[in-house]
Each structure stands twice: as C-alpha cells, then as structure tokens.
Amino acid sequence: MLLVLLSLLTAIHATVVPLVDSSGHSHSQAPAGTVPQGRNITINGVLTYVTLPKRFDPTTAVVLLTDVFGLPSPDNLADQWAAEGFATYAPDYLNGDALPTGGNVTTWAVNHGEAQTTPPLLAVIKELKSRGVKQLAVTGYCFGGLYTVRLVQNNTVAVGTTAHPSSLNVPMDFEVVKAQSHVPIEINNAELDTGFTPAVALETDAVLGNGQYPPGYFRRQFDGVGHGFAVRANASDPVQVAAKQGAFDTSLAFIKKHLK
C-alpha cells in the first residue's frame, strides 16, 4: 500500500533516466601491455569475472555491475577493486549479449530488461552467500546503477555505490529506498551527463540528502566529464583521469566506511 501511495504521489513529476547511446559514453583503450588479473569462471550457471587479492576476508566481497558493454576489458575496475583487498565478482548479467561499441542501445535494451538481467545477478549473489560471504558491497556503473538501487531497495547487500546510473525513475526509486531500505548508498554523477543529469541528481538529493536517509547517503559531482567517466578515461585528458580516479576513491571510502 505504501509503494502504491508513493507511486501516485511521484508520478506527476517523475523523471525516467534514459540509457545513454553508445556514442554518448566515454571510450578509451587499455594501456599497452595491460592484462587481466582475474579470470572468467561459472558461478551458479552464470559466467563471472573473478579477481582475488593475495589476502582478503572471505566473508566480504564486492559485486561489480558493468555498463552495457559487459564483462571487464583488460583495463578494468574489477582488478582495481581487488587491488584494494576485496574479492571482486563481475557477473555477466547481460547473458553473453553485451552492447557492441557503436551498437543501438534502444534496440539492445528490448532484450535486456529486469526480467532478463535480474535472475543471473541474483543467482551469483545467492551462491556467494552460500559460500560464506556475509557482507556484500555492490558497485554499479551506468546500466548497473539501476541494479545497485534495486539491491539497496531490497536490502540484499550491505552497501551500494553507483556512478552515472541509468534506467531509474526519479524520485520514485529513491522514495522506495527511503521507505524500506536500511542500506547506505552513494552516487557519483557527471556534470555533462545526458542521462543522470545534475538536475536529476538534485531531485535525488531532495529525497535522500540533508540527513533524510539515516542509513547513509552521499553524492559527489564531477565537473567537466560526461556519461561513463567512472569507467573509462582518455589517458591524455587530466580532467577525465582525475574524475575516474576520484569516483573510484569516493566509492571505495564509502564502502569501507559502511562495511562492519
């Protein structure tokens, strides 16, 4: 009943954050000689990129939810998370059908709704928990941002972070977080994003900011960069490089703060 009421109250001014087309993402090449530190294995029937540090707490893990371009490239964030001491898992929740560079995201999205992408994601999370992982942090980028929010809404994880999320209904999705979740959430957004725009970010703040969400909420905007900045950066552009690293550092600090 509560969610129905929230839906009625927010429908008149809801913003649906669109998926950003391939041409609207930041794109970059992996540095020469870069090789993956992890490997692809199957977890509960789902292909998953797994990267493990030499020493880690087996009861804690990071689940990385990729953008529409799928499992990590050789220059990838999963290895960066592992370098910070976290067992890191990036499930192929796109079911082997990532968007190719230059692909039409509108056509692609038809076969990649929540009904298709949620089951493999939950299958991996279920298996990790059965293996003794007690605290899961989720970090989702672009397309993965929606699923970060879903996992936060349902109290499936211990903490969630996202960068330039898409496919959200704002403010409705964050009203649901506020109404039923006890999971801290952090958002990195871009000044030049055409999806999760600064205006949408402020709508989100209006729901969760200024102490309105006791579990914990933080948002940081990065100026001079656009959609996809937290995943890829042009190595010759110091603004992009700093923003990508800054988003990672912000999410890392938030996750470390809120994991018990």
Side-chain angles (χ1 to χ4, degrees):
M1 186 66 178
L2 174 59
L3 296 186
V4 172
L5 178 59
L6 287 174
S7 179
L8 291 173
L9 291 174
T10 59
I12 58 172
H13 63 281
T15 299
V16 177
V17 181
L19 280 171
V20 175
D21 197 64
S22 177
S23 61
H25 285 73
S26 298
H27 292 284
S28 62
Q29 296 296 317
T34 303
V35 295
Q37 299 301 300
R39 60 194 179 100
N40 289 331
I41 65 174
T42 300
I43 297 178
N44 204 6
V46 181
L47 186 68
T48 304
Y49 180 82
V50 180
T51 178
L52 305 175
K54 291 182 179 179
R55 295 182 180 180
F56 62 94
D57 179 356
T59 68
T60 300
V62 168
V63 173
L64 186 148
L65 304 180
T66 69
D67 59 17
V68 293
F69 302 109
L71 289 185
S73 66
D75 177 25
N76 69 71
L77 287 167
D79 287 347
Q80 193 172 358
W81 281 99
E84 294 295 337
F86 293 101
T88 305
Y89 301 85
D92 178 21
Y93 67 132
L94 305 182
N95 299 306
D97 186 31
L99 180 74
T101 301
N104 185 309
V105 74
T106 302
T107 302
W108 176 88
V110 172
N111 296 316
H112 296 83
E114 292 188 61
Q116 292 87 11
T117 51
T118 300
L121 169 57
L122 294 182
V124 171
I125 288 176
K126 179 180 179 181
E127 179 63 20
L128 292 178
K129 289 185 175 181
S130 76
R131 295 182 183 183
V133 177
K134 300 184 184 304
Q135 289 196 101
L136 278 174
V138 60
T139 182
Y141 301 84
C142 309
F143 186 79
L146 170 66
Y147 298 90
T148 289
V149 174
R150 290 288 183 264
L151 294 171
V152 168
Q153 287 173 338
N154 296 325
N155 296 293
T156 305
V157 295
V159 56
T161 75
T162 179
H164 35 81
S166 62
S167 303
L168 294 166
N169 185 310
V170 180
M172 176 61 187
D173 279 324
F174 295 107
E175 292 282 7
V176 174
V177 168
K178 185 176 180 180
Q180 66 185 34
S181 181
H182 53 69
V183 176
I185 185 169
E186 183 265 332
I187 300 170
N188 296 306
N189 72 291
E191 177 191 24
L192 306 179
D193 196 345
T194 56
F196 195 85
T197 64
V200 173
L202 290 175
E203 287 187 69
T204 304
D205 290 349
V207 178
L208 300 179
N210 297 318
Q212 297 179 83
Y213 185 59
Y217 168 71
F218 183 71
R219 181 181 66 82
R220 182 179 179 187
Q221 178 167 302
F222 291 84
D223 293 339
V225 290
H227 190 80
F229 80 94
V231 181
R232 301 170 187 85
N234 184 334
S236 65
D237 186 334
V239 173
Q240 290 188 30
V241 171
K244 180 175 182 285
Q245 185 63 48
F248 179 82
D249 291 343
T250 301
S251 293
L252 175 64
F254 191 83
I255 284 176
K256 284 185 172 181
K257 176 181 178 181
H258 290 285
L259 286 178
K260 296 180 177 64

